[in-house]
């Protein structure tokens, strides 16, 4: 293993994997090392995104990772059932691992935990120290005292069925299910005529989702749909941060000059927690650089994150209404009202590109939560948020 690298990426998750791959495409002579504590890059995940989330050029270079693509998707609420137009794509961790491993070869090292990192060096668990012109930390989300978040908690199972399930498009949200103390919905992807990924999903305040409870819920949901589950292929579980408010300047000052990526750098959609579009955009930005000093990368990523933080202010306000206004098991009413809007607005919401007219439309009419509590949530007048400023 080389003793000096141009760039070391710690954590071979989505963000760092995309950075390494994009650099390999754009600057193949660059000496990049991707380190992963686990057995393979990408872990055990399914990443999805909407067509409008990426530019045409981004769709083109990420295309080899895409395993599934649908032209539209369904949502189900007590008072609304509809099909929403717009492409929906999914990347599997298996495909991700194959592509990244082939592209990087021996510049990807797995089964390699670290004990310490600095902006220019990494200390491995076996005591060795690897030096680089710069190090990027992409080891996933870490709670911060400078961010107040809720969670999108999910537990998924991928099943082979006894016979075809009959779905032709994803069910992004089926919120007709029992809410169980938070905004709960079932998310279902048809992977083949007889394969389904079924996820029990919650918008909740803390990571309290229990695996066995979710397994039971999935079994019950499949039974109500008439699906006969045959062979369990895999399970996945996670907690995606949903930003309510925070101090972005303090968040990055706490990094103390350490370049970060992905969830580690707070780079995710504020309302869904999905990180692929921002990871793709960051990989593009980094791949155009010709100098890889930690000072430059820290400023680059911080400015990238700052711009998105500013763009997401309206989303954080909506998140506070979702989480803080009204009973937890009535949160579905906010999303039901959202899905009564037009396809274009919905697509721009997921892409994080709302127009002023879109924002006005989202706030007009009778709110689906108590007015007084909605105003308190918007103005952050709650004990939970009293100490925070949305900066």
């Amino acid at each position: 293993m080389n003793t000096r690298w141009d760039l070391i990426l710690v954590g071979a998750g989505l963000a760092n994997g995309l950075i390494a791959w994009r650099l390999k495409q754009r600057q193949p002579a660059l000496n990049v090392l991707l380190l992963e504590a686990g057995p393979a890059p990408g872990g055990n995940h399914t990443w999805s995104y909407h067509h409008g989330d990426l530019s045409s050029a981004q769709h083109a270079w990420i295309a080899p990772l895409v395993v599934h693509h649908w032209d539209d998707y369904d949502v189900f609420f007590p008072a609304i059932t509809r099909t929403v137009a717009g492409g929906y794509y999914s990347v599997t961790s298996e495909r991700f691992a194959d592509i990244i491993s082939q592209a990087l070869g021996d510049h990807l090292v797995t089964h390699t935990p670290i004990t310490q990192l600095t902006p220019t060096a990494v200390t491995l668990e076996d005591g060795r120290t690897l030096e680089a012109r710069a190090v990027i930390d992409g080891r996933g989300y870490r709670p911060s005292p400078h961010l107040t978040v809720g969670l999108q908690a999910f537990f998924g199972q991928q099943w082979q069925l006894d016979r075809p399930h009959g779905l032709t498009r994803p069910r992004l949200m089926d919120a007709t299910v029992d809410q169980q103390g938070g905004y709960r919905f079932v998310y279902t992807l048809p992977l083949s005529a007889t394969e389904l990924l079924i996820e029990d999903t919650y918008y909740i305040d803390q990571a309290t989702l229990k695996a066995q409870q979710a397994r039971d819920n999935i079994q019950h949901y499949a039974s109500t749909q008439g699906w006969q589950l045959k062979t369990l292929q895999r399970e996945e579980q996670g907690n995606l941060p949903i930003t309510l408010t925070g101090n972005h300047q303090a968040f990055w000052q706490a990094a103390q000059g350490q370049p970060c990526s992905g969830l580690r750098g707070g780079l995710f959609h504020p309302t869904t927690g999905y990180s692929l579009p921002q990871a793709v955009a960051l990989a593009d930005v980094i791949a155009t650089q010709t100098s890889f000093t930690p000072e430059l990368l820290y400023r680059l990523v911080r400015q990238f994150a700052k711009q998105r933080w500013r763009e997401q202010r309206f989303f954080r306000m909506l998140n506070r209404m979702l989480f803080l206004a009204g009973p937890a098991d009535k949160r579905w009413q906010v999303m039901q009202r959202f899905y009564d809007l037009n396809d274009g607005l919905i697509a721009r919401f997921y892409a994080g590109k709302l127009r002023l007219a879109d924002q006005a439309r989202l706030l007009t009419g009778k709110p689906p939560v108590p007015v007084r509590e909605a105003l308190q949530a918007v103005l952050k007048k709650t004990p939970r948020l009293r100490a925070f400023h949305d900066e």
Side-chain angles (χ1 to χ4, degrees):
M1 187 181 291
N2 293 31
T3 57
R4 182 74 178 181
W5 301 86
D6 291 315
L7 183 65
I8 295 177
L9 299 158
V10 179
L14 179 67
N16 272 358
L18 290 178
I19 292 169
W21 187 37
R22 194 60 170 150
L23 284 169
K24 188 69 174 179
Q25 295 171 347
R26 299 291 299 272
Q27 302 188 51
L30 203 65
N31 204 20
V32 177
L33 177 66
L34 181 60
L35 293 176
E36 169 57 36
N44 176 32
H45 298 286
T46 303
W47 298 282
S48 297
Y49 60 98
H50 297 263
H51 183 82
D53 295 349
L54 304 182
S55 69
S56 297
Q58 290 169 339
H59 275 289
W61 76 258
I62 201 176
L65 295 174
V66 176
V67 180
H68 305 287
H69 169 223
W70 303 270
D71 293 329
D72 43 29
Y73 61 89
D74 291 330
V75 293
F76 298 83
F77 292 89
I80 295 176
T81 295
R82 67 177 289 193
T83 299
V84 182
Y88 193 70
Y89 305 78
S90 287
V91 173
T92 65
S93 52
E94 293 84 359
R95 175 69 64 83
F96 183 83
D98 287 345
I99 295 291
I100 300 304
S101 298
Q102 291 173 22
L104 295 185
D106 60 5
H107 285 212
L108 165 68
V109 180
T110 58
H111 299 285
T112 307
I114 73 163
T115 58
Q116 186 178 359
L117 65 73
T118 72
T120 58
V122 177
T123 302
L124 308 184
E125 197 172 56
D126 63 11
R128 288 178 295 162
T129 297
L130 306 179
E131 296 183 343
R133 291 163 63 191
V135 173
I136 296 179
D137 187 358
R139 290 176 293 168
Y141 178 72
R142 177 175 58 184
S144 167
H146 307 298
L147 294 180
T148 298
V149 302
L151 295 173
Q152 184 192 151
F154 65 91
F155 183 93
Q157 293 184 320
Q158 184 171 319
W159 282 95
Q160 175 71 45
L161 275 61
D162 251 345
R163 58 176 181 265
H165 46 69
L167 297 186
T168 59
R169 62 180 68 93
R171 291 181 176 179
L172 257 59
M173 291 183 180
D174 186 345
T176 62
V177 295
D178 178 34
Q179 292 299 282
Q180 298 183 5
Y183 172 43
R184 173 179 172 239
F185 60 91
V186 178
Y187 170 94
T188 307
L189 298 182
L191 307 179
S192 74
T194 56
E195 289 178 290
L196 290 174
L197 173 63
I198 310 171
E199 290 186 353
D200 197 32
T201 309
Y202 299 75
Y203 275 63
I204 51 179
D205 297 332
Q206 298 178 344
T208 54
L209 177 58
K210 294 180 172 56
Q212 190 54 52
Q213 175 189 353
R215 292 187 184 102
D216 293 342
N217 285 339
I218 290 170
Q219 289 280 344
H220 176 72
Y221 185 77
S223 177
T224 65
Q225 303 303 309
W227 301 331
Q228 294 189 12
L229 305 180
K230 180 181 179 182
T231 304
L232 178 62
Q233 297 174 327
R234 69 182 187 92
E235 295 181 329
E236 62 178 277
Q237 184 171 10
N239 295 289
L240 302 178
I242 307 299
T243 313
L244 305 185
T245 189
N247 187 321
H248 192 260
Q249 181 176 350
F251 176 84
W252 275 95
Q253 285 175 342
Q256 298 181 325
Q258 175 63 60
C260 300
S261 68
L263 297 182
R264 197 76 162 193
L267 295 171
F268 50 87
H269 191 289
T271 303
T272 67
Y274 283 15
S275 59
L276 186 143
Q278 294 200 38
V280 170
L282 181 62
D284 270 337
V285 170
I286 290 177
T288 64
Q289 303 306 303
T290 57
S291 176
F292 288 89
T293 67
E295 294 82 10
L296 182 147
L297 285 176
Y298 175 79
R299 289 197 302 270
L300 183 75
V301 181
R302 181 175 179 170
Q303 185 58 39
F304 179 91
K306 182 179 181 180
Q307 178 62 32
R308 278 143 187 82
W309 179 265
R310 287 174 173 171
E311 294 168 353
Q312 294 169 353
R313 184 166 190 151
F314 182 80
F315 292 83
R316 295 192 295 275
M317 180 191 71
L318 294 180
N319 293 346
R320 293 195 295 274
M321 290 179 64
L322 178 64
F323 274 85
L324 303 174
D329 61 358
K330 299 296 183 182
R331 290 173 181 167
W332 61 269
Q333 295 176 343
V334 176
M335 295 307 299
Q336 176 175 269
R337 181 176 184 273
F338 169 73
Y339 270 109
D340 201 25
L341 301 172
N342 66 74
D343 291 351
L345 190 156
I346 292 170
R348 291 189 292 275
F349 178 88
Y350 283 119
K353 301 172 183 176
L354 288 176
R355 303 166 181 169
L356 287 176
D358 295 333
Q359 296 179 19
R361 178 67 185 88
L362 284 163
L363 295 177
T364 56
K366 182 181 178 182
V369 293
V371 173
R372 183 172 180 270
E373 294 184 32
L375 289 173
Q376 286 181 331
V378 168
L379 298 172
K380 306 183 291 295
K381 291 181 180 179
T382 68
R384 181 177 171 189
L385 302 180
R386 191 168 290 154
F388 288 85
H389 301 282
D390 194 15
E391 299 177 350

